[in-house]
Amino acid sequence: MKRSSRWFSGSVLATALCLAGAAGSANAASVPTAASHDSRGGGIPALRAGVAPALGASPAVAHLYAYFNGGTCVHGQGGKPYECLGVGAVLHGSVYLPLVEESSGGRWTKTSKVGEPSAPHDVTVGEEVSCAVVRHKLPDCMMVGVHYNYGKTTVQLAEWGGPAGFRVVAAANPRGTSWSSMQAVSCPTAKFCVIGGQAGKGSASGHATAYTWNGSALRAMSVPAPPRSHLSQVAAISCVSTKLCVAVGDYDNAADRTEPYTVIWRDGKWKLQSAQVVAGATGTVVEDVSCPTSTFCMAAGYSDLGTSQQQFTQSWNGRAWRLVSMPAEADSGLNGVSCLKATACMVGGVTRNDGLIERWSSATGWSVMKPVQTGKPNADVFTHLSWLSPTSAVAFGLRFNPSPRYEGNDRTLAERWNGKAWTVQSTENS
């Protein structure tokens, strides 16, 4: 079965759904994760293969549980240095609600209005968000994710809005499919976004999906799949302009080996682009991509080595991908990447029990940074980064509470880089 685009998030949801009385956990797909997180669960079928588990009675959970799956920052309006949005999910009792928190120059508050597609007792997760700066007002943003009712199948979700609130603009499976999810979005302007994800008919059949948004409506696009592939998905998109976008993800080949999947969108047409496979790995997964120019992108993910995972990055020069050498971080994986320019990037993820952030320079290569570690064991995971200026970057994720492990104590995590050091910001659900 298919893994979710955020390689740990299925496990996080699985844990909470076990609390909620989820049945069918024996069928859950196994997720490549750092060894220290293996015990957190194997993921739920709804987010892996589009088939929601049957759920029984849902006892109340004593502690609030929340995490950021994705996030973005844009240059602020009205003298504020930046505006950021973090998206994910928050568990209230037995119900997962979409979570959006907004920061104006560092002060995080909960966005009051977030759309819910249907009835209570549903699961709704924000996977990613992208915002476009609009002159003299708050940014316009698209949030994407997944939604399902208990006992029913997964439905892709798109919501349009911004720091003041979001409204649902899509919450239905594509024609001819029985499940779907949206995992990627990039909005170079307020009137143009590209969205990516996955849809299919059964647990062994899925294909990558893509849509454009013109400010008022979605339009589906046909995305090519590699020959003899199945279960392809778009995990991340970066649009340089309304004419050029790069999408990344993964697919299973004819031998059921997971390989990286990249497609380039130029002037309204998608074209496959061969990506690099990590030598000796049993699987290679690309989780995120950032393209500051039309001739440079940096993609990040992890390779499956059988008993552990290893972080990897690869860069694109407008014609081809090449692997970029990284420090040997034990049992590591990368979830997010953000490039300030074609010569400077940051990545975020996890290595064993610690949150991992690294910085790349075209002159010196990758080096490990020192984010704040909030506690041990099983402390932090960074899911996304947004790097706006030499003195302003924000990393999004979650902080694990190691004891008691399954009481839903985990919290949102946001850390800011000021050009010299990382500091933890106080989020609404931290």
Side-chain angles (χ1 to χ4, degrees):
M1 291 184 182
K2 204 62 179 173
R3 64 191 54 79
S4 101
S5 64
R6 294 286 177 255
W7 60 278
F8 73 91
S9 64
S11 300
V12 173
L13 283 173
T15 301
L17 287 175
C18 285
L19 287 174
S25 60
N27 311 340
S30 111
V31 187
T33 59
S36 60
H37 303 142
D38 286 347
S39 61
R40 296 186 65 84
I44 58 175
L47 296 186
R48 303 305 161 80
V51 181
L55 301 184
S58 301
V61 178
H63 302 281
L64 182 145
Y65 176 105
Y67 66 96
F68 286 140
N69 239 353
T72 190
C73 299
V74 296
H75 292 288
Q77 302 295 309
K80 295 178 180 178
Y82 59 91
E83 304 269 358
C84 296
L85 285 183
V87 303
V90 58
L91 181 66
H92 285 283
S94 61
V95 182
Y96 261 111
L97 301 177
L99 172 68
V100 182
E101 293 191 29
E102 184 262 344
S103 170
S104 297
R107 182 180 177 85
W108 287 91
T109 58
K110 183 179 178 182
T111 297
S112 59
K113 298 178 181 179
V114 183
E116 277 288 315
S118 56
H121 306 298
D122 294 346
V123 174
T124 307
V125 179
E127 288 281 353
E128 192 52 275
V129 64
S130 181
C131 299
V133 175
V134 181
R135 192 174 183 183
H136 303 312
K137 59 175 283 190
L138 293 173
D140 285 340
C141 308
M142 176 67 77
M143 178 179 69
V144 300
V146 292
H147 169 84
Y148 67 86
N149 292 333
Y150 282 7
K152 296 184 180 180
T153 58
T154 304
V155 174
Q156 63 189 12
L157 175 68
E159 300 197 19
W160 181 246
F166 284 82
R167 62 181 176 86
V168 175
V169 296
N173 290 321
R175 182 177 299 177
T177 67
S178 60
W179 62 268
S180 59
S181 66
M182 288 177 170
Q183 299 160 175
V185 60
S186 182
C187 301
T189 75
K191 298 295 184 181
F192 182 81
C193 300
V194 176
I195 298 167
Q198 185 185 27
K201 294 182 179 180
S203 61
S205 174
H207 57 85
T209 57
Y211 303 84
T212 57
W213 168 260
N214 63 7
S216 60
L218 290 172
R219 181 178 68 86
M221 297 186 286
S222 178
V223 187
R228 299 177 298 281
S229 68
H230 63 110
L231 288 175
S232 60
Q233 67 168 340
V234 173
I237 295 173
S238 182
C239 293
V240 181
S241 67
T242 59
K243 302 294 184 181
L244 175 64
C245 300
V246 176
V248 301
D250 58 85
Y251 70 94
D252 289 352
N253 63 18
D256 285 331
R257 184 185 295 271
T258 302
E259 296 191 352
Y261 170 63
T262 65
V263 283
I264 313 299
W265 189 82
R266 278 195 178 96
D267 298 324
K269 294 183 179 180
W270 289 103
K271 184 178 180 180
L272 283 169
Q273 175 76 57
S274 295
Q276 295 295 312
V277 175
V278 176
T282 60
T284 303
V285 177
V286 185
E287 293 283 19
D288 201 10
V289 64
S290 179
C291 303
T293 73
S294 61
T295 57
F296 180 83
C297 298
M298 184 69 77
Y302 69 97
S303 57
D304 188 355
L305 304 179
T307 58
S308 64
Q309 287 77 46
Q310 183 64 48
Q311 64 175 359
F312 88 95
T313 54
Q314 56 183 316
S315 63
W316 185 66
N317 62 6
R319 299 180 302 277
W321 292 96
R322 68 175 183 86
L323 291 174
V324 182
S325 179
M326 299 200 75
E329 290 295 314
D331 207 10
S332 56
L334 301 175
N335 298 310
V337 57
S338 181
C339 296
L340 180 63
K341 51 188 176 180
T343 57
C345 300
M346 285 186 188
V347 292
V350 63
T351 175
R352 289 189 175 173
N353 297 328
D354 295 329
L356 176 65
I357 298 178
E358 295 162 277
R359 181 169 52 180
W360 175 82
S361 161
S362 58
T364 60
W366 286 105
S367 59
V368 177
M369 303 182 80
K370 294 182 178 180
V372 178
Q373 304 296 339
T374 64
K376 291 184 179 181
N378 295 339
D380 307 328
V381 169
F382 292 109
T383 59
H384 209 76
L385 290 125
S386 189
W387 194 6
L388 282 182
S389 75
T391 59
S392 182
V394 174
F396 303 84
L398 73 158
R399 51 202 299 177
F400 291 140
N401 186 343
S403 179
R405 182 183 294 273
Y406 291 111
E407 286 195 8
N409 285 357
D410 298 343
R411 296 289 192 265
T412 53
L413 174 63
E415 296 194 20
R416 188 193 172 196
W417 170 253
N418 64 5
K420 295 181 180 180
W422 289 95
T423 55
V424 175
Q425 295 183 314
S426 179
T427 62
E428 189 76 12
N429 293 286
S430 61

